[in-house]
Amino acid sequence: MGLIVQKYGGTSVGTIERILRVADRIITYKEEGHDVVVVVSAMGKSTDVLVDMAKQITPFPSEREMDMLLTTGEQVSISLLAMALHTKGYDAISLTGWQAGVTTEAIHGRARIKQIESKRIQAELGRGRVVIVAGFQGISDEGEITTLGRGGSDTSAVTLAASIGADKCEIFTDVSGVYTADPRMVPAASKLDSISYDEMLELANLGAGVLHPRSVEAAKKYKVRLVVRSSFTAEDGTYVEEVANMETGRVVSGVAHDEDVAKITVVGMPAKVGTLSRLFNTLADNQVNVDIIIQSSYDAAVTNISFTVTGEDLTKALNTLSANQSELGFEKVDYEENLTKVSIVGSGMINNPGVAAEMFRVLAEREISIKMVSTSDIKVSCVIPASLTELAVRSLHSAYGLDVAETAVVHG
């Protein structure tokens, strides 16, 4: 017997049939004697539908009203799942984020969870109920409904598991666990039995969509036992833990890619102390997130600074730079779209020289140009043309011995 938090993504509850299947899985856990708290995302693509409806009214909807709109998606799925359990003879109650005690920052669209007051959840569990909580949402101290941003239901589940002292947090998705690459792109990708928090965090930040980075951060911080599993099979998943029992000899654990990358070069910045500070503080003040940064100088007085942003942030970044050109003192801005960041990740890289050199060799042999490079102890990232993403990912996956004979199964 134990206390288990489960999270089901939009694909897992995308239809009434799938919601009934989720209810059956929950019942299996209840019959084994477990207490179960379930965090649910909006059904299928319903969030995208809501966003599209808003954009048909105005291209620039109020962030507050968008949060009011988008949180309705999760409320549909939690109530339907509760009804499904009721029809099968099991007591369940659905709770919105704020009913479940989730308090967030007073920021719309990307709030962070400040705390979870779990008295209501504990009381409902004490009554023998399955507690079903809407992911992705909470409420600020000012009483405003907020959302956590895309993938926020993962973070809801992990922080909830931490707050109630759950024995395990299971993230159910459309794949059977964490793979060595996206199985949609690399059918020969293999499922990992376990992976460390640090490796998973790198993969998540670098584009692996199976877990949201903030959920991995929370799991590492609060030592939450995290499992990624398929909601369509009974197959064992991947454990994300402090020390992963990885296969001996595997230097690279996985290949990740992020196809939403743009490169900006600020040309002719004054080569003075404080230049970088002024530039990136200006961008930060306008909520532009910057990733890879490279500085290059061609004379003593002037420097060029290149950096990457998401494609979504490109226009905002260019507008911010244009509005602050006089203050920052640069000559012009160049930019390049349709880029991908492809990365290799593995804790075994620390003690194995030549891993980055092998990556560069493989890309060069495929005549894939490298625009920018970023490294850490356990990852190497290269920015490349988006049109060559699949070639790069598959080539690197093979080069580091990650291919298997079986074809990965992805449920849609």
Side-chain angles (χ1 to χ4, degrees), residues 191-267:
K191 181 172 69 69
L192 301 171
D193 293 330
S194 64
I195 188 171
S196 70
Y197 289 123
D198 288 338
E199 288 173 311
M200 188 67 247
L201 185 56
E202 286 283 15
L203 286 172
N205 277 315
L206 295 169
V210 69
L211 282 174
H212 193 276
R214 280 162 56 185
S215 71
V216 184
E217 289 176 354
K220 177 179 173 65
K221 179 178 180 180
Y222 298 111
K223 300 295 187 290
V224 174
R225 193 171 183 231
L226 195 58
V227 190
V228 181
R229 301 185 60 186
S230 171
S231 59
F232 299 95
T233 70
E235 184 179 348
D236 289 337
T238 300
Y239 280 84
V240 184
E241 52 198 1
E242 188 62 50
V243 179
N245 182 24
M246 299 301 294
E247 295 89 340
T248 57
R250 176 170 278 180
V251 176
V252 173
S253 299
V255 181
H257 67 280
D258 180 358
E259 297 178 276
D260 186 29
V261 176
K263 175 187 174 185
I264 296 175
T265 300
V266 183
V267 179

Side-chain angles (χ1 to χ4, degrees), residues 63-84:
E63 290 184 339
R64 179 190 184 277
E65 300 308 326
M66 283 300 293
D67 278 0
M68 291 291 287
L69 175 66
L70 297 184
T71 51
T72 63
E74 281 70 25
Q75 292 181 52
V76 171
S77 53
I78 62 173
S79 57
L80 290 174
L81 181 55
M83 293 176 194

Side-chain angles (χ1 to χ4, degrees), residues 39-281:
V39 176
V40 182
S41 298
M43 295 176 65
K45 300 294 185 181
S46 60
T47 298
D48 293 333
V49 172
L50 293 172
V51 170
D52 183 64
M53 290 169 64
K55 293 297 178 67
Q56 290 180 47
I57 294 175
T58 170
F60 304 107
S62 157
E63 290 184 339
R64 179 190 184 277
E65 300 308 326
M66 283 300 293
D67 278 0
M68 291 291 287
L69 175 66
L70 297 184
T71 51
T72 63
E74 281 70 25
Q75 292 181 52
V76 171
S77 53
I78 62 173
S79 57
L80 290 174
L81 181 55
M83 293 176 194
L85 286 164
H86 293 162
T87 63
K88 294 174 182 289
Y90 285 82
D91 198 5
I93 186 169
S94 63
L95 301 175
T96 63
W98 43 98
Q99 288 176 316
V102 179
T103 304
T104 75
E105 301 170 330
I107 298 173
H108 290 292
R110 59 187 183 282
R112 288 181 173 268
I113 294 173
K114 293 170 60 178
Q115 66 175 11
I116 297 178
E117 177 49 71
S118 60
K119 288 182 180 179
R120 175 74 183 273
I121 293 173
Q122 299 284 8
E124 301 296 351
L125 289 172
R127 298 184 180 100
R129 291 172 164 172
V130 175
V131 181
I132 305 168
V133 179
F136 173 69
Q137 60 184 246
I139 193 166
S140 70
D141 289 331
E142 295 77 15
E144 294 289 344
I145 293 173
T146 57
T147 62
L148 310 182
R150 289 283 182 163
S153 291
D154 289 349
T155 307
S156 298
V158 173
T159 53
L160 183 55
S163 71
I164 64 176
D167 298 290
K168 182 166 55 176
C169 179
E170 296 183 322
I171 306 293
F172 287 91
T173 182
D174 56 355
V175 292
S176 299
V178 180
Y179 281 77
T180 50
D182 185 343
R184 299 169 183 82
M185 181 172 289
V186 185
S190 60
K191 181 172 69 69
L192 301 171
D193 293 330
S194 64
I195 188 171
S196 70
Y197 289 123
D198 288 338
E199 288 173 311
M200 188 67 247
L201 185 56
E202 286 283 15
L203 286 172
N205 277 315
L206 295 169
V210 69
L211 282 174
H212 193 276
R214 280 162 56 185
S215 71
V216 184
E217 289 176 354
K220 177 179 173 65
K221 179 178 180 180
Y222 298 111
K223 300 295 187 290
V224 174
R225 193 171 183 231
L226 195 58
V227 190
V228 181
R229 301 185 60 186
S230 171
S231 59
F232 299 95
T233 70
E235 184 179 348
D236 289 337
T238 300
Y239 280 84
V240 184
E241 52 198 1
E242 188 62 50
V243 179
N245 182 24
M246 299 301 294
E247 295 89 340
T248 57
R250 176 170 278 180
V251 176
V252 173
S253 299
V255 181
H257 67 280
D258 180 358
E259 297 178 276
D260 186 29
V261 176
K263 175 187 174 185
I264 296 175
T265 300
V266 183
V267 179
M269 286 283 289
K272 299 177 181 178
V273 174
T275 290
L276 290 174
S277 175
R278 288 192 300 276
L279 173 60
F280 291 110
N281 273 302

Side-chain angles (χ1 to χ4, degrees), residues 6-27 38 40-45 77 80-82 84-85 88 172-175 184 230-233 409-412:
Q6 298 181 338
K7 179 262 176 177
Y8 292 92
T11 303
S12 302
V13 294
T15 65
I16 296 300
E17 179 185 2
R18 290 182 176 182
I19 288 174
L20 292 169
R21 189 183 303 154
V22 166
D24 288 335
R25 186 184 289 270
I26 294 168
I27 289 169
V38 182
V40 182
S41 298
M43 295 176 65
K45 300 294 185 181
S77 53
L80 290 174
L81 181 55
L85 286 164
K88 294 174 182 289
F172 287 91
T173 182
D174 56 355
V175 292
R184 299 169 183 82
S230 171
S231 59
F232 299 95
T233 70
V409 177
V410 180
H411 298 272

Side-chain angles (χ1 to χ4, degrees), residues 316-347:
K316 187 194 301 182
L318 294 175
N319 289 341
T320 298
L321 291 169
S322 176
N324 291 275
Q325 182 171 4
S326 298
E327 179 183 345
L328 295 172
F330 59 84
E331 296 173 12
K332 65 174 183 174
V333 172
D334 295 329
Y335 68 93
E336 188 174 359
E337 301 179 82
N338 300 317
L339 300 175
T340 290
K341 180 172 63 177
V342 61
S343 310
I344 55 172
V345 175
S347 57

